[in-house]
Amino acid sequence: QAKIKGKGQVYEFQAGMETAVQERHDLELDLRAALGRSELRIYYQPLFDVSGVITGFEALARWPHPTRGMIPPDRFIPLAEETGLIVPLGEWVLKTACGVAAGWQSDVSIAVNLSPTQFRRVDLVNTVMKTLEETGLQPSRLELEVTETLLMEDVPKALALVRDLRALGVRVALDDFGTGYSSLAYLHNFPFDKVKVDRSFINKITNDPNAWTIVESIIVMSHKLKLRVTAEGIETGAQLSLLAEHGCDEMQGFLLGRPMPESQASSLIESLKNLHSVS
Ligand code: C2E
Ligand code: MG
Ligand code: MG
Ligand code: MG
């Protein structure tokens, strides 16, 4: 394909490739080192019920890079996936987040994202079980977020895994709902506890009637299937009230709370406890 282009273009194309490959390689080495030096961080984003009570936090990985600044997970999680680093990274997130949540004098839940590679590992159920034992976190306080792409690869195997995880007493949520392919079949066949409606729908519900029709239908359908519904990416009061009026169970978004470092999440929990004991 490169040959049919002019000579200069071929050269340019290859040079560009080399740079991208080199950069990716550099980033991979950096990520490996960062993991080894425990430089990754977890931020915690609060989730609320309709009455404004915190129900839990979602653990979101962050990479404060010494020279490139804060690298968002959308950049390093795919890289970690491709290189296999996601396995130690994912285990670190799980263990750290469960440990932190176990230390909170509160029964709020902690949600941890699982990547396809983690999900494919035969020892996932064992890893989760051991993590719960080691951290002392009550299984019912752990929620694992999975995406459709992860379930698609091998449906019978994924189904068995979700069942085994739930048998441990942890909850399983279907994340980014609406962005995948055959969503309805998954909702129907898998024993999820919760559906998280993707941000790309939520940010359109107050100005795109079709987007709202879809979200409203997801809420109705999920409730009939005995699933709880979380809306992610709520940024305006109008979105919040529309969702609350229509029975959405749980709210997440910058309007209500951004992902925050552990210390802030802990003080938020403490301040809410004081509020309750005063009233
Ligand atoms: P996600 O699991 O769907 O997480 C929600 C994302 O939406 C987070 O982005 C969060 O900061 C963002 N968000 C929440 N509310 C709002 C809002 O109101 N407006 C906007 N614009 N964004 C909002 P984040 O932290 O950048 O994470 C992106 C994705 O990276 C996550 O999407 C998840 O798929 C992945 N990820 C993050 N941490 C981990 C991890 O530890 N393991 C795995 N496997 N994936 C992770
Ligand atoms: Mg998530
Ligand atoms: Mg999500
Ligand atoms: Mg999302």
Side-chain angles (χ1 to χ4, degrees):
Q1 203 191 355
K3 276 182 190 158
I4 57 170
K5 291 182 180 167
K7 213 178 177 184
Q9 273 174 303
V10 172
Y11 175 74
E12 249 173 37
F13 172 69
Q14 287 175 341
M17 282 282 287
E18 242 166 61
T19 318
V21 168
Q22 184 60 48
E23 205 182 287
R24 193 182 159 285
H25 182 67
D26 289 347
L27 206 61
E28 180 190 336
L29 290 182
D30 283 359
L31 182 58
R32 201 177 286 277
L35 256 176
R37 290 196 295 256
S38 313
E39 282 171 3
L40 298 188
R41 293 284 169 265
I42 300 178
Y43 274 39
Y44 299 85
Q45 187 178 28
L47 290 103
F48 300 82
D49 71 12
V50 267
S51 58
V53 171
I54 292 190
T55 51
F57 287 83
E58 178 172 3
L60 296 159
R62 294 286 179 272
W63 181 11
H65 190 280
T67 57
R68 295 170 201 244
M70 191 69 95
I71 302 181
D74 287 335
R75 278 202 64 205
F76 69 86
I77 295 288
L79 176 72
E81 269 286 318
E82 288 163 34
T83 54
L85 283 173
I86 192 70
V87 175
L89 194 161
E91 283 182 13
W92 174 78
V93 172
L94 182 69
K95 203 171 165 178
T96 308
C98 287
V100 165
W104 290 334
Q105 299 297 311
S106 161
D107 57 2
V108 295
S109 62
I110 181 77
V112 176
N113 293 284
L114 288 184
S115 79
T117 305
Q118 276 178 286
F119 201 71
R120 246 182 261 122
R121 304 255 309 181
V122 281
D123 55 354
L124 175 69
V125 178
N126 229 330
T127 302
V128 172
M129 197 169 68
K130 268 194 6 222
T131 305
L132 291 168
E133 270 169 25
E134 283 170 20
T135 59
L137 184 76
Q138 254 178 295
S140 60
R141 287 183 58 202
L142 177 62
E143 191 162 273
L144 298 170
E145 298 191 1
V146 303
T147 54
E148 285 166 279
T149 34
L150 167 159
L151 308 170
M152 267 161 50
E153 290 176 4
D154 183 345
V155 172
K157 194 181 155 213
L159 192 56
L161 250 171
V162 172
R163 285 197 179 127
D164 288 349
L165 288 169
R166 291 193 78 231
L168 292 178
V170 308
R171 283 172 288 151
V172 181
L174 183 57
D175 201 0
D176 302 340
F177 186 68
T179 54
Y181 297 96
S182 40
S183 315
L184 296 184
Y186 294 116
L187 267 197
H188 170 237
N189 291 319
F190 280 82
F192 297 119
D193 297 278
K194 180 193 277 188
V195 169
K196 294 187 80 175
V197 183
D198 195 67
R199 190 169 90 216
S200 57
F201 282 107
I202 302 302
N203 65 28
K204 286 193 290 229
I205 54 171
T206 50
N207 44 37
D208 176 346
N210 290 336
W212 172 242
T213 300
I214 292 172
V215 172
E216 190 186 9
S217 309
I218 292 174
I219 296 173
V220 172
M221 179 179 64
S222 301
H223 285 165
K224 287 192 174 168
L225 293 169
K226 306 260 186 298
L227 295 161
R228 290 170 57 75
V229 182
T230 300
E232 62 172 34
I234 299 173
E235 293 185 351
T236 70
Q239 291 165 353
L240 179 66
S241 27
L242 187 59
L243 289 158
E245 274 164 30
H246 287 81
C248 182
D249 303 287
E250 200 176 41
M251 320 289 180
Q252 178 179 15
F254 290 175
L255 176 75
L256 302 160
R258 289 189 175 250
M260 58 187 88
E262 181 198 331
S263 57
Q264 272 181 44
S266 304
S267 356
L268 185 59
I269 292 174
E270 284 307 313
S271 66
L272 293 175
K273 262 201 318 218
N274 294 336
L275 200 77
H276 287 304
S277 60
V278 167
S279 60

